[in-house]
Amino acid sequence: MSQSLLIAFVIFATVMFFTPGPNNIMLLSSGLTYGFRRTLPHVAGITIGFAFMIGAVGLGLGTIFITYPVLQAILKYAGVAYLIYLAVHIAMSGPTTPDQDNARGPMTFWGAAMFQWINVKGWVMVIGTITAYAGIAGFPWNIVIQVLLSLLLGTLSCSAWALFGSGLRPILTSPRAVRAFNIVMALLLLASLYPVFMDA
């Protein structure tokens, strides 16, 4: 593995992890609505779920999607439908109170992990990771390096976005302000679907 290729991959992954996308927008909203501690399963689900996805695709699962392109279309439109559902859920979320029913809480670990498989930006990252950096992906140990780096960068970026949302809690104190913020986040989440429809 060349050092220059590894550095290029780290830069690519850092930009993709830290820039706004469905995962980061949802974490920002969850941090504000539920607080950092309650958002931790969501953080862990994204981080571990995405790293697992890189490993699985890098070790051969991706060939299934190349052989059967219809699966890509199914995942894409399932992802669109689920993101619309999440946008509605976020838009309707208000601040929680200690005595509030927790039935409608933050995304769970498994929910966040499974979401990665229908996350459009996640697939862009995985395809870029496995194809553009094929010199790294050509060997199993190098897939391990990619997975470990994804775990590290994912933990840092997801935590940062959730902490940023949580840090807004003392500022946005009224239910109306929280609701307005979450509506903006829901609109941004819907806006993230623009590349999907342009690519259709």
Side-chain angles (χ1 to χ4, degrees):
M1 175 197 323
S2 69
Q3 184 178 4
S4 60
L5 195 59
L6 178 60
I7 292 173
F9 168 68
V10 171
I11 293 172
F12 164 80
T14 300
V15 170
M16 294 300 287
F17 271 115
F18 280 88
T19 52
N23 281 326
N24 292 337
I25 291 171
M26 288 189 293
L27 286 169
L28 181 64
S29 176
S30 182
L32 170 65
T33 305
Y34 303 109
F36 181 71
R37 186 182 62 81
R38 292 188 64 193
T39 304
L40 283 175
H42 190 169
V43 170
I46 292 173
T47 304
I48 296 172
F50 183 74
F52 175 81
M53 187 173 161
I54 286 181
V57 173
L59 294 175
L61 187 61
T63 58
I64 296 175
F65 296 99
I66 295 172
T67 307
Y68 302 102
V70 68
L71 293 177
Q72 296 180 37
I74 291 171
L75 282 175
K76 179 166 74 172
Y77 290 109
V80 167
Y82 191 58
L83 278 174
I84 292 172
Y85 162 78
L86 289 174
V88 172
H89 176 76
I90 288 172
M92 296 176 64
S93 296
T96 57
T97 57
D99 58 344
Q100 187 174 3
D101 180 19
N102 291 330
R104 201 174 132 190
M107 187 175 279
T108 64
F109 171 87
W110 288 110
M114 295 305 295
F115 171 69
Q116 303 317 301
W117 292 92
I118 56 172
N119 178 8
V120 178
K121 184 180 179 182
W123 275 107
V124 170
M125 290 178 66
V126 169
I127 291 169
T129 296
I130 302 304
T131 57
Y133 303 97
I136 296 178
F139 304 96
W141 279 113
N142 295 331
I143 293 292
V144 173
I145 291 173
Q146 286 181 311
V147 169
L148 291 176
L149 284 171
S150 296
L151 284 170
L152 173 63
L153 292 171
T155 300
L156 293 174
S157 69
C158 290
S159 298
W161 280 90
L163 281 169
F164 180 44
S166 181
L168 292 174
R169 286 166 72 88
I171 301 170
L172 302 176
T173 54
S174 72
R176 181 175 295 180
V178 173
R179 177 64 58 82
F181 180 86
N182 281 336
I183 289 173
V184 172
M185 292 299 101
L187 292 174
L188 288 175
L189 194 59
L190 291 175
S192 72
L193 295 173
Y194 175 77
V196 179
F197 292 110
M198 289 300 294
D199 191 44

